[in-house]
Amino acid sequence: QLQVVESGGGLVQPGGSLRVSCRASKLIENLYAISWFRQAPGKAREGIICASLTDENTYIADSVKGRFTFSRGDAKNDVYLQMDNLEPEDTGVYYCAVGRLSRFVCAPPLSEVRFDSWGQGTQVTVSS
């Protein structure tokens, strides 16, 4: 398994923005897909974004579409999740997960079993 670490979480007011980061060791981008999950208090983990090399293997959940965007940094092991217009319902622990690339890895709904390397998560709290 790869070593995966998230960072950048924190407290933000409704309508605000936050950027979280994910760093994965020894990541080969043409062999892996990268996803973001989140877990709200009292709820199961929800897959919100999955990205690979082609559009057909990219997914973003309706709940965050238009507000959350995914990008890669100059360092190929770093990926970012930009969260804008945050709502209290976005509160939760955000996880970065990595799995082997396939035509099905980003098919909705995202399944946790497709990803075998997980970070510890970073807390995002949206509250006034």
Side-chain angles (χ1 to χ4, degrees):
Q1 294 184 347
L2 303 175
Q3 298 292 319
V4 182
V5 179
E6 305 95 340
S7 62
L11 175 65
V12 63
Q13 293 185 343
S17 298
L18 201 63
R19 187 192 194 191
V20 293
S21 303
C22 173
R23 172 168 290 183
S25 65
K26 302 179 181 180
L27 179 63
I28 307 298
E29 293 193 2
N30 64 341
L31 297 178
Y32 294 93
I34 304 172
S35 66
W36 285 94
F37 286 72
R38 66 182 182 183
Q39 187 167 19
K43 296 184 178 181
R45 287 183 187 178
E46 173 194 15
I48 54 173
I49 287 177
C50 184
S52 58
L53 296 179
T54 63
D55 290 340
E56 64 179 314
N57 293 319
T58 301
Y59 168 80
I60 182 166
D62 290 340
S63 58
V64 302
K65 188 176 297 183
R67 300 188 298 119
F68 290 12
T69 55
F70 171 89
S71 64
R72 291 182 173 90
D74 292 336
K76 301 303 180 183
N77 288 353
D78 294 332
V79 299
Y80 305 97
L81 181 65
Q82 178 68 40
M83 302 181 289
D84 296 321
N85 195 23
L86 284 161
E87 305 168 352
E89 292 76 16
D90 296 316
T91 293
V93 179
Y94 283 69
Y95 298 90
C96 179
V98 180
R100 294 296 301 268
L101 181 66
S102 75
R103 62 180 295 184
F104 304 111
V105 66
C106 290
L110 295 183
S111 175
E112 295 180 26
V113 301
R114 302 174 190 171
F115 307 95
D116 55 10
S117 298
W118 290 75
Q120 295 299 114
T122 186
Q123 176 71 43
V124 173
T125 302
V126 185
S127 176
S128 60

